[in-house]
Structure formats: structure tokens, C-alpha cells
Amino acid sequence: MASPRIEGAKVAVLATNGFEQSELEQPVAALTAAGATVHVIAPKGPEIQGWEHHDKGRSTAVDLELAKAKAGDYDALVLPGGVINPDALRLEKKAIAFIGEFVKAGKPIGAICHGPWTLIDAGGVEGRTMTSWPSLETDLKNAGAKWVDKEVVVDQGLVTSRKPDDIPAFCKKLIEEIAEGRQAAAA
């Protein structure tokens, strides 16, 4: 079966310095290839610094600063991991409010590796089945999530994965959820 197309979908990727390189770049490439318009949103621009595990990676251009971003302009949200990135975003009230708007609206959200950390602060994990980097298991359980160790988990539009090796499955399910969300909205 061919991958779904999501032409016309607008996807926000919320990140800051310290994002895991592959967890931002590969979903952006997959979403773009599927027809979506993707904007990298960060608290400050003009670019943010990536990491490849423990080594400094490449910088990525910021398309829109968080202060100017409106969740209502987007169909879905991606939260890349890396330890530094979500830990820093958890301290940004505007970032948590932005994520919370996607949670409240029931829009598709993809969070990989340490990305689900920000969902805790945004009230998006209670009662949800999800996965993450293993070190987040206790945090997610304490916030009311059911944590499982799987490559990709989908729970009512929330797509979560554990690590860079899971990115292909993560991207596939995220695109499917965005396509379903757009179909439901059109109906």
C-alpha cells in the first residue's frame, strides 16, 4: 500500500538548541515528501543547534519564532528529542502553552525519544499509552501514562517512539495520523 499523501497539511516542529539531529531532520524530510508544509519553530532564531548523540551536529534554520506562532495555524505537531532540547523547552511557558493547544484540540502529535517530556508539562500524557527513551519511563508513569517499550505507539493521534532507530516507523505512523486527522476534519 502506498504511503498516504498529506498535501495542504501544515506541521509545526517545535525545537530549540540541543535537538537530536536525526529526530528533527528525518521527520521534516518525510513530512515534506508526503506533501506537508513544515515549519521549524523555536523560542529564538535565526537557527538552532543540533546534536548527534553526544557530539555537536549541524544547525537548522528556524522558520518562525515561537512568539509569532499560533497552534491554530497547524494541523499537527512534532516534538523531536535529544536530552537538552525538551529539557530546555519545559522551562519555556510559551512552548508548553503552544503544545497544550495541540493537546486540547486533539490534533496529531508526534514525540520521539525525550520529546514526550514536554507533553507531561502540557497535560498531554495522562491516560495515554506511549513510549519514549527508557529514562523517561518513570516520569511518564508518574504523570499518568501507560509506558510500553515498543518501536512506535499510537494512541488517539499521539504517536511516540523511543530512539533514532525507530524514525522510519515513527514517520510512517505520524503521516497516517495526519492523513486521518485531515480526513476526519474534512468529513
Side-chain angles (χ1 to χ4, degrees):
M1 183 171 129
S3 296
R5 300 290 300 163
I6 51 175
E7 276 91 358
K10 286 184 71 179
V11 181
V13 177
L14 180 61
T16 193
N17 292 317
F19 66 89
E20 182 66 34
Q21 200 84 51
S22 61
E23 294 171 0
L24 184 143
E25 290 179 349
Q26 290 181 35
V28 167
L31 290 162
T32 302
T37 298
V38 182
H39 292 154
V40 174
I41 298 171
K44 293 181 182 162
E47 57 186 31
I48 51 177
Q49 179 63 54
W51 285 79
E52 293 186 22
H53 305 292
H54 300 289
D55 299 318
K56 201 173 193 179
R58 296 174 297 284
S59 293
T60 295
V62 172
D63 297 306
L64 187 64
E65 288 195 11
L66 182 58
K68 298 176 183 174
K70 295 181 181 142
D73 292 343
Y74 296 94
D75 300 301
L77 174 65
V78 177
L79 300 168
V83 178
I84 300 166
N85 167 55
D87 193 51
L89 287 174
R90 291 178 84 181
L91 298 175
E92 294 276 345
K93 289 181 182 178
K94 288 181 181 174
I96 297 307
F98 186 73
I99 296 165
E101 290 182 48
F102 285 88
V103 171
K104 287 177 192 146
K107 293 180 180 182
I109 299 172
I112 188 167
C113 191
H114 287 78
W117 247 348
T118 56
L119 285 168
I120 293 171
D121 295 87
V125 306
E126 188 172 357
R128 308 299 284 278
T129 300
M130 55 195 306
T131 195
S132 67
W133 185 255
S135 66
L136 272 63
E137 177 181 356
T138 300
D139 293 346
L140 289 165
K141 285 180 175 179
N142 286 342
K146 178 184 177 193
W147 189 90
V148 294
D149 184 13
K150 291 186 177 177
E151 178 181 53
V152 65
V153 176
V154 180
D155 184 332
Q156 300 174 24
L158 175 61
V159 179
T160 54
S161 284
R162 305 167 300 186
K163 57 189 174 183
D165 290 346
D166 299 340
I167 292 172
F170 174 75
C171 292
K172 181 178 186 269
K173 288 296 182 185
L174 181 59
I175 290 166
E176 288 173 6
E177 289 301 304
I178 294 169
E180 287 176 19
R182 292 180 55 73
Q183 291 169 1

